[in-house]
Amino acid sequence: MSKPEAARPIGVFDSGVGGLTVVRALMERLPLESIVYFGDTARVPYGVKSVATIEHFTAQITEFLLQREVKMLIIACNTMAAVAAEVVHRLAGSVPVLDVIEAGARAAVASSTGRRIGVIGTPTTINSNAYARRMHELDSSVRVYSQACPLFVPLVEEGWLDHEVTRLTAHEYLRPVLAEEVDSLVLGCTHYPLLKPLLRDVAGPSVRLIDSAVTTAELAAERLQQAGLMRSAGARAGYRFVVSDVPLRFQTIGERFLGRSLGAVEKVDW
């Protein structure tokens, strides 16, 4: 027998481990909500794959989560959101779909006072121009300055969150964006929230950091409230972590991203 709609979990997915920063933000913002997380650890990274391949993988994951009767789908991967969001919307039917790009773009436009916004992300996300395009749709007057930061993901996964190498790298990457006198900086990759203290130091107090994990959790809360899908008080949240491959590395890095123990991690074979 299927659960009442509000009692169903939120489905969150990513190409790997980065989306756990979104799960962490959801746990903090919506502590009553159950979550099923899927990380496609066997096929990461997605950034080097063709659009057709990313769409195919994204469709597989979406169908997997819909079979688990989720009440909302969250694309917690900038690459998937940039090139395959339409696939998710098409398969989801009446199930609401959110993604990190939409949430980050909305928050940046809403909070920018000088209408000059910086975006940092992986080369695939930056080359897709998805953030700039969405921000211009929301407000044609904003100026968007984008910068690919390919070294940040491996540095975060290495745990070098406050390392001198990471700090020097951040100075190099941010210099051209900060030279444009941006008032907001969108962290356009789910790994980047772990670098927030360091990036805040480098960017300085006049630049507001837009954390797309936090903004996605805020947007999820807003949409659940509007749809009458919030779980009631007294409900106990349950968390499931599902991956397509379970290297020990996922457990180690995952717990750093989540800020707590992952517990049991399930593995699925396609």
Side-chain angles (χ1 to χ4, degrees), residues 73-77 81-82 85 89 97-104 216 219:
L73 283 164
I74 297 178
I75 310 170
C77 170
H89 282 275
V97 178
L98 308 184
D99 69 72
V100 282
I101 292 177
E102 176 69 17
T216 300
L219 189 57

Side-chain angles (χ1 to χ4, degrees), residues 84-167:
E86 283 179 23
V87 173
V88 184
H89 282 275
R90 190 173 69 242
L91 292 170
S94 62
V95 175
V97 178
L98 308 184
D99 69 72
V100 282
I101 292 177
E102 176 69 17
R106 278 175 178 271
V109 169
S111 67
S112 174
T113 49
R115 319 320 283 154
R116 299 173 77 82
I117 301 169
V119 179
I120 55 173
T122 63
T124 308
T125 299
I126 297 303
N127 292 340
S128 76
N129 214 29
Y131 273 101
R133 200 164 51 244
R134 185 63 186 122
M135 284 187 223
H136 286 138
E137 285 169 4
L138 293 164
D139 181 349
S140 59
S141 74
V142 298
R143 302 291 297 274
V144 182
Y145 305 93
S146 302
Q147 174 69 44
C149 305
L151 293 175
F152 278 170
V153 167
L155 287 167
V156 168
E157 293 198 354
E158 197 59 46
W160 291 12
L161 306 182
D162 192 30
H163 195 287
E164 191 55 29
V165 168
T166 312
R167 193 170 290 275

